[in-house]
Amino acid sequence: MWLSGWLGTLPPLLFAASGFIAPRIARGLGLDRGIVLASLLITAGHLLRAFAPGIAVLIIGSVIAFAGTGIGNVLLPSIVRRYFPDRVALLTAVYACVVGVSTAVPAALAAPLAEQSGWRFSLGIWSLTSIGALVPWVVVIMRERRQRAADPVTVDVASPSVVIGLWRSRVALSITLAFSTSTILTYASFAWLPDMLGDLAGTTPTEGGVLLAVTGLVSVPGALLAPLLVARFRNVGWLIAVGVVSFVLGYLGLLVVPTPLTLLWVLLVGLGSILFPVCLVLINARTGTAAGTVALSGFAQGIAYALGALGPLLVGLLHDVSGTWTLPLLFLIAIALLAIVPAITLARPGLVEDELAR
């Protein structure tokens, strides 16, 4: 069964690779063209998966789609800083909210769409979202092309020495650890929560998919509020602690009394995803320059998604070794508790650039 976990590792692995590639894309193409490239890759990947004649082409299409998504993940915090420097928290909240909804809707609709119209339609329909995202960015690029002669647009990207220096930054490492905790737990849930619920609570595959969608929907209020609270609170450690406690209680509940409070435990797991929007806004809040934002975004997300790829794989392996969900759930609880460290270290304000200057 743990081999199925490899399917859950594919998205974070590609997101991790994109985290290290995206800053170079920003340097070579610019932020706007980088986002357009990401949307094109997502669209091409979805369509390739929908028309795949076999498993090999299906995997290639998935790789292309996930690579485009990863590039967009890294560049979007810098896009927010560039176009909305005075509304970073608000726009990050909107962005994180859309991510939560985008997580929930496919999880809830994929199986019913596949049953009604076939799996190809269920995979290909999502290309419409990336096609729609292309339209405003093409307009932006055309407008920039007309203005470039009079007002050239440059992209401030950190030098390689600054990126290497992030390994010495308490702020950068703390945000990366919190982000890593979030990705490991989130992707483990994506891959295994329906199976866990089926074995522990007796849910059907369709019910498991709906409950997985619930974890995405319940993250929406947190995604809206967390970035705004980060901007208002001097001590963001409390927000990280809320995510830690929610994850721990949710997984502990599934371990000890999976029924009849299954929905409550699923809601708590979804609420734990507040770590994701908190980390997104911290990438902007704890950097003072556009270059620092690009560098920290690629650094934190690249490492976090690389570690996140281990979540589904290790959960599946622990399940195979033990034959139960006890060890996997204890593993997830232990991972959640690791975020206590950044909850403490990020309680103190500070910018990455200031740390590197010292």
Side-chain angles (χ1 to χ4, degrees):
M1 187 176 184
W2 74 272
L3 288 174
S4 300
W6 282 103
L7 296 176
T9 68
L10 191 58
L13 279 178
L14 269 297
F15 293 170
S18 300
F20 298 110
I21 295 171
R24 297 188 179 186
I25 292 175
R27 186 183 296 114
L29 297 179
L31 291 174
D32 297 338
R33 287 175 176 78
I35 289 293
V36 169
L37 173 62
S39 299
L40 288 172
L41 288 174
I42 295 169
T43 302
H46 280 313
L47 293 176
L48 191 59
R49 295 202 309 169
F51 294 99
I55 187 65
V57 178
L58 182 66
I59 293 175
I60 291 172
S62 299
V63 168
I64 294 172
F66 293 145
T69 305
I71 293 169
N73 284 344
V74 174
L75 297 185
L76 273 172
S78 302
I79 289 285
V80 170
R81 174 180 283 277
R82 175 179 171 181
Y83 286 104
F84 308 99
D86 57 338
R87 289 176 286 173
V88 168
L90 175 61
L91 268 296
T92 302
V94 173
Y95 161 43
C97 178
V98 172
V99 170
V101 173
S102 301
T103 300
V105 173
L109 296 183
L113 284 175
E115 291 177 0
Q116 293 293 324
S117 305
W119 66 267
R120 293 184 185 276
F121 178 83
S122 183
L123 288 177
I125 189 66
W126 309 111
S127 63
L128 295 178
T129 58
S130 52
I131 292 172
L134 272 172
V135 176
W137 284 111
V138 170
V139 173
V140 169
I141 289 177
M142 292 175 63
R143 186 175 300 168
E144 279 189 356
R145 182 175 296 177
R146 291 194 297 267
Q147 296 176 347
R148 186 171 301 158
D151 185 19
V153 176
T154 60
V155 179
D156 187 16
V157 181
S159 64
S161 61
V162 172
V163 176
I164 295 173
L166 292 175
W167 288 102
R168 298 183 286 105
S169 166
R170 171 185 60 84
V171 172
L173 292 177
S174 297
I175 293 174
T176 301
L177 179 56
F179 218 134
S180 299
T181 300
S182 176
T183 56
I184 292 172
L185 299 177
T186 299
Y187 282 100
S189 294
F190 286 167
W192 294 114
L193 187 60
D195 292 295
M196 285 185 185
L197 296 175
D199 292 342
L200 296 174
T203 59
T204 66
T206 299
E207 290 170 342
V210 171
L211 288 171
L212 179 59
V214 167
T215 65
L217 287 175
V218 76
S219 70
V220 172
L224 285 172
L225 291 175
L228 303 177
L229 294 175
V230 169
R232 290 178 178 272
F233 287 2
R234 181 178 177 84
N235 183 354
V236 298
W238 291 110
L239 294 175
I240 297 175
V242 168
V244 173
V245 171
S246 297
F247 271 129
V248 169
L249 290 179
Y251 289 128
L252 191 61
L254 288 175
L255 177 63
V256 179
V257 281
T259 57
L261 299 177
T262 308
L263 180 60
L264 174 61
W265 310 137
V266 169
L267 289 172
L268 286 169
V269 170
L271 182 60
S273 299
I274 194 174
L275 288 177
F276 176 75
V278 168
C279 291
L280 280 181
V281 75
L282 283 175
I283 289 174
N284 267 310
R286 294 302 179 92
T287 52
T289 63
T293 302
V294 173
L296 180 58
S297 181
F299 178 84
Q301 295 199 54
I303 294 174
Y305 284 120
L307 294 175
L310 296 176
L313 187 61
L314 290 176
V315 167
L317 179 60
L318 290 172
H319 180 270
D320 271 1
V321 169
S322 65
T324 70
W325 290 109
T326 300
L327 275 181
L329 286 169
L330 289 174
F331 165 74
L332 294 175
I333 291 171
I335 293 297
L337 291 173
L338 288 177
I340 292 175
V341 176
I344 296 171
T345 56
L346 290 173
R348 304 190 304 274
L351 296 178
V352 168
E353 290 88 348
D354 292 341
E355 286 187 328
L356 296 182
R358 291 195 296 269

